[in-house]
Every structure is written in structure tokens, then in C-alpha cells.
Amino acid sequence: MGRGAASSTVITDKARLYRWRLLLPLVAILSIIGIAVTLLLASREFERERHRQSLISDTLWAEQAISYEARRAIDALRSLAQGDAVGTPNEDSFRRASAGIMLRSPEVLAIYSWRADSKQLWHAPATISETLVSADRIEASAQRSTRLGRATATDGVESGRPLMLVAVPGGIHESDHSAVVAVVSLPRLLVHTIPWWFAHETQITLDDPSGAVLARRDDKVIGR
């Protein structure tokens, strides 16, 4: 009896050892797979966070570039408006000054000079199409700017093109009801402020407060 029990114990121990030898590689393989999956998930999360931070940084850079160009153009329009208000208005000098602004800011398609007292509405360049923007919209934009006493902007689509009207009052005297109104092409604003190397894989759009897309930097780009 004693020998049979001892023999049975040895066989049981060998069976357990054999099972462990089979289980150990399986446990090791499962551990390696678990570590690999964990690292993969962590790597994907890290990559998503990196992309998110990169996107935030890119968005801020693009916003700053557009804001800088907008401020520069408005300052130039303000100087033009105040010059017209102080001096004797002259259509030729107005067009020369406007040409300089449009050369530095190619997104500006046209500039109008409006005076309430004479209903005068000059425009530069002289060859600009009369149908670019209606005279009523120009006058409404100028009147709003002079009423508020500050630069104003209104967006919309005119002749199938997404445009923005930027109006700056003369602002020298309260009784001075004059303004200059610039017609800005929103797609051109994006093209001339956002370089191609920045936009070739990043989709950049200008949206209104409701989220509707006003303009895209490049319709062919479908990216971040």
C-alpha cells in the first residue's frame, strides 16, 4: 500500500509539472500579447493627443496670420478714410492710394469712397465691374460704419462669390458722414495669408458664427 501511494504521488507531481510546462509558454505568449496591445493602445492615444495639440497649434497660427492681415488692411483703410475726410477729396489721389492698398493686400478686390453729403461713390480700380457689389450694399455698409463710429464687416455672397465688405468711417468729426468700403475676397484672403506648405494637407475654412462655411483655402484638400 505504501509503495502504491508513493507511486501515485510521483505520477501526480509529474502530471502537474507537465501541465505547468505546457501552460508557462501559453502564459508567456498571452502576457506578451497583452503588453503589445497595451503599448499599441497607449501609442494610438499618444498619437491622437499629439495630433490634437498640433491641430490646436495650427489653428492658432492660421488665426493669427489672418488677424494680422485684417488689422493691417483696416489700418490702411483708416488712413485712407481719414485722409479723405481731412483733405479736399480728389478721385485721382483716392485711386492712387487705393491701388497701393490693393497691391499690398491682394484679397482686396475694390475700394469705394462714400460721402453722405454729396452721394459721391468713387471706386478703385476705375475698371472694376459695376456688378461686383451693388451700390445699395456699399451705401448700407458705409452708413452702418459711420453710425457706429468704427470699422465694421459684413459677409455674404455676391455674384456667386463669397465676399466681405469692410467699412471704415472718416471719423474726424461727428458730423463727418464719410467712409471707405473695401470688397474683400474671402478665398483670396486665405490663399494670400496661409502658405501652401501649411495648407497642403490641412483643410482650412472660414466659417460664420452659425458654422456655415464661407470659404475654403483649397477645395481639393480633405484633411484635418
Side-chain angles (χ1 to χ4, degrees):
M1 285 294 287
R3 289 181 181 179
S7 177
S8 176
T9 302
V10 171
I11 292 172
T12 301
D13 290 342
K14 287 182 176 180
R16 288 176 179 172
L17 183 60
Y18 180 72
R19 283 198 299 270
W20 271 109
R21 286 177 177 175
L22 290 178
L23 287 175
L24 279 175
L26 181 60
V27 171
I29 291 171
L30 291 176
S31 298
I32 292 172
I33 292 174
I35 293 172
V37 170
T38 301
L39 290 175
L40 178 61
L41 292 176
S43 175
R44 291 179 63 181
E45 183 61 29
F46 174 79
E47 191 66 17
R48 279 197 295 267
E49 180 61 20
R50 189 181 69 82
H51 283 163
R52 191 179 74 85
Q53 293 297 331
S54 176
L55 190 58
I56 291 173
S57 176
D58 289 349
T59 302
L60 291 175
W61 186 90
E63 182 182 359
Q64 289 174 356
I66 293 172
S67 296
Y68 173 79
E69 173 59 21
R71 287 194 300 269
R72 190 168 70 90
I74 288 174
D75 287 343
L77 293 170
R78 184 175 290 113
S79 296
L80 177 61
Q82 292 178 353
D84 281 352
V86 172
T88 302
N90 180 280
E91 188 170 7
D92 289 336
S93 62
F94 162 77
R95 283 182 172 158
R96 283 195 299 271
S98 297
I101 295 174
M102 289 185 284
L103 183 64
R104 293 188 297 272
S105 301
E107 70 275 7
V108 178
L109 302 181
I111 301 176
Y112 295 81
S113 175
W114 175 85
R115 300 184 73 86
D117 54 1
S118 63
K119 292 293 182 181
Q120 119 187 338
L121 187 62
W122 294 334
H123 57 80
T127 56
I128 197 69
S129 172
E130 295 291 341
T131 61
L132 180 64
V133 177
S134 68
D136 290 341
R137 280 198 66 191
I138 295 294
E139 185 170 359
S141 182
Q143 287 177 341
R144 179 168 177 257
S145 177
T146 55
R147 183 176 69 253
L148 296 176
R150 59 176 174 81
T152 61
T154 55
D155 59 71
V157 177
E158 192 88 15
S159 302
R161 288 180 290 186
L163 302 174
M164 177 172 285
L165 299 184
V166 178
V168 179
I172 301 300
H173 305 291
E174 291 185 2
S175 58
D176 176 31
H177 297 294
S178 66
V180 294
V181 180
V183 180
V184 178
S185 166
L186 295 179
R188 276 197 183 189
L189 176 63
L190 291 179
V191 168
H192 289 285
T193 54
I194 308 298
W196 69 268
W197 52 263
F198 183 87
H200 77 284
E201 63 179 12
T202 303
Q203 186 182 81
I204 301 173
T205 63
L206 279 177
D207 304 344
D208 69 9
S210 69
V213 175
L214 298 174
R216 298 180 188 275
R217 170 61 172 80
D218 189 343
D219 290 332
K220 298 176 182 178
V221 174
I222 302 176
R224 298 177 296 167

